[in-house]
Amino acid sequence: MANQEDIFKKVISHAKEYGYVFQSSEIYDGLSAVYDYAQNGVELKKNIREYWWQAMVQLNDNIVGIDAAIFMHPTTWKASGHVDAFNDPLIDNKDSKKRYRADVLIEDHVAKIEAKIEKEVKKAAKRFGDSFDKEQFLATNQRVLDYQTKVDGILKRMGKSLENEDLADVKSLIEELEIACPLSGSKNWTDVKQFNLMFGTKLGASADSAMDLYLRPETAQGIFVNFLNVQKTGRMKIPFGIAQTGKAFRNEIVARQFIFRMREFEQMEMQYFIKPGTQQEWYEKWKEKRMKWHLSLGMGEDNYRFHDHEKLAHYADAAADIEFRFPFGFKELEGIHSRTDFDLSQHEEFSGKKLQYFDPEENKSYVPYVLETSIGLDRMFLAVFSNSLKEEELENGTTRTVLKIPAVLAPTKAAVLPLLKRDGLPEVAHKLIDELRWDFNVIYDEKDAVGRRYRRQDAAGTPFCVTVDHQTLEDETVTIRHRDTMEQQRVKLSEVKDIISKEVDMRYWLQKI
Ligand code: ATP
């Protein structure tokens, strides 16, 4: 089996070859950690955004959307804590001159120990066969328990030192764990320093009157500052939510994982305003709801897990990540944070305006608590794309490359293929496309033998191929081929639209939530 690195390389090259993701400004050798979405990528991204938006806004009476500006008044970022505390701890290797995030170095070390646990589990599962009880094994096997104690100890210590801003201890931890630079193998480290991640820019023409601004590092603050506007104009009653998707910018120190960590990226965030004291209940509910959303896409339950935060951000009283099994291991895909009344209270203090809700049931006003769900659209894209890319061995001994993107998210739903370029077949194919394009993205392909065209569509992720042949001219039937099973059916031309609709309609997928 290919190793993780090879699989990831294949993902990146496939994304380029099939028109999903290009490096930004590639003709100038690119810009680090900035990417462009290509003709297929833009459709996949749009579909993921829409799938999220429908689940949040359309299907919930009490959640509405907004689209706030990227530029915000600079005081916003003082109030939110980003000016003072939006830092990453960084450390340089003196030999390779490479810069790392200290917490990521430690987490990668932990991931290696966790991989050992997984290996033990796999070995034992093989040995015990059907009678294997994973929970029991994890709770009783001494080797696994030792590894787990180690993991817990490291994360706890790291969490504590980061929380106390004890950067010297973070360095000591790296030294004690004998973590080496992945590039040079050297353990010759500088001290750990803090680095602010916000991009600064200026508003205004003349040098003296220009105002220093930041590109927003998260979309959430656009929601908080509009809380009262939305509550009043929408006559919203607590609990209610405000959802938003949009660009965010972070000057990431380590940005080497394709679209996993970008400097310009898109977030899909929802802030849920609740009564103080109910945060634990909503935290659990939203964790469950968000996991269901992920699972509805059918990408495999084993590929997700919750990770509770050891180190809580300055605004949170509980936080968990939904992690996904990326080609480079389990990593954060979405965060669910109980943000208390931190943000609204801060904005009250810095703006001097009241941001309170009058609760008619309690007959009093209060600053609501907030429960946040925050997912990176680009990370979700990478999760879908990398998980969908498969090399399959076929019965006849050949292999095929297939991109099994959930049909609801696929950029193009069907390709219509005339068997030959003559005898009136292209005309029938075009007529079918003209009918289908009102409902889905469809494409026409007449080049090469039909088998090659099937392979091309498999690799591009198109869930259906519809082939028009001579029999079509006689009895108005076509062959419809399913990407995942390669099964072919002969169906009436008039049924094609319904067959595709059933499998790509968001309604069908969202009903699983
Ligand atoms: P990480 O620990 O990976 O840096 P984070 O905890 O800082 O992420 P949040 O601030 O909670 O991330 O942001 C919410 C979501 O936004 C993340 O779960 C992730 O999906 C996405 N995200 C954050 N930073 C980036 C980035 N640089 N590129 C792409 N997506 C990102």
Side-chain angles (χ1 to χ4, degrees), residues 62 224 226-242 272-276 278 341 344-345 348 353-370:
N62 64 345
F224 296 131
N226 278 302
F227 155 74
L228 212 52
N229 280 339
V230 173
Q231 191 271 320
K232 289 218 161 113
T233 56
R235 290 180 294 132
M236 310 301 290
K237 289 204 170 58
I238 272 178
F240 73 91
I242 304 179
Y272 204 65
F273 298 91
I274 56 179
K275 200 188 274 192
T278 62
D341 59 358
L344 292 181
S345 301
E348 273 201 326
K353 310 263 164 37
K354 272 209 173 336
L355 292 174
Q356 301 196 352
Y357 170 77
F358 177 74
D359 190 329
E361 279 165 30
E362 306 254 326
N363 200 25
K364 65 171 192 205
S365 294
Y366 53 78
V367 178
Y369 270 40
V370 170

Side-chain angles (χ1 to χ4, degrees), residues 12 35 81 116 125 171 291 309-311 372 443 464 470 481 485:
I12 298 170
Y35 291 90
K116 286 186 188 161
K171 182 177 179 188
M291 187 57 103
H309 281 208
E310 292 287 334
K311 180 201 172 211
E372 163 183 84
I443 56 163
F464 296 98
H470 291 92
R481 175 185 178 273
T485 57

Side-chain angles (χ1 to χ4, degrees), residues 340-489:
T340 69
D341 59 358
F342 176 81
D343 304 274
L344 292 181
S345 301
Q346 287 289 104
H347 286 304
E348 273 201 326
E349 191 183 324
F350 279 76
S351 68
K353 310 263 164 37
K354 272 209 173 336
L355 292 174
Q356 301 196 352
Y357 170 77
F358 177 74
D359 190 329
E361 279 165 30
E362 306 254 326
N363 200 25
K364 65 171 192 205
S365 294
Y366 53 78
V367 178
Y369 270 40
V370 170
L371 204 287
E372 163 183 84
T373 73
S374 173
I375 173 170
L377 176 47
D378 314 85
R379 274 196 200 172
M380 184 63 195
F381 184 111
L382 182 59
V384 171
F385 192 87
S386 59
N387 187 64
S388 301
L389 185 60
K390 314 268 183 215
E391 288 288 333
E392 284 185 351
E393 304 254 342
L394 302 180
E395 275 168 16
N396 63 9
T398 59
T399 56
R400 71 161 178 160
T401 301
V402 53
L403 197 55
K404 292 185 163 176
I405 296 180
V408 65
L409 302 180
T412 305
K413 304 305 185 194
V416 181
L417 323 171
L419 189 63
L420 299 172
K421 276 189 249 181
R422 52 182 157 77
D423 303 339
L425 303 183
E427 287 75 7
V428 179
H430 280 300
K431 203 168 147 232
L432 178 60
I433 287 189
D434 282 342
E435 195 190 311
L436 295 178
R437 74 162 99 248
W438 293 95
D439 297 280
F440 339 100
N441 282 340
V442 272
I443 56 163
Y444 176 82
D445 189 3
E446 61 172 25
K447 195 169 174 289
D448 301 323
V450 81
R452 292 218 16 211
R453 280 181 268 169
Y454 285 156
R455 287 290 180 277
R456 191 151 62 223
Q457 295 304 328
D458 284 347
T462 313
F464 296 98
C465 284
V466 182
T467 307
V468 174
D469 56 18
H470 291 92
Q471 197 185 327
T472 315
L473 303 178
E474 283 162 27
D475 63 4
E476 303 229 313
T477 62
V478 287
T479 303
I480 187 160
R481 175 185 178 273
H482 297 251
R483 176 196 65 197
D484 295 352
T485 57
M486 296 195 291
E487 197 187 307
Q488 304 194 15
Q489 285 169 280

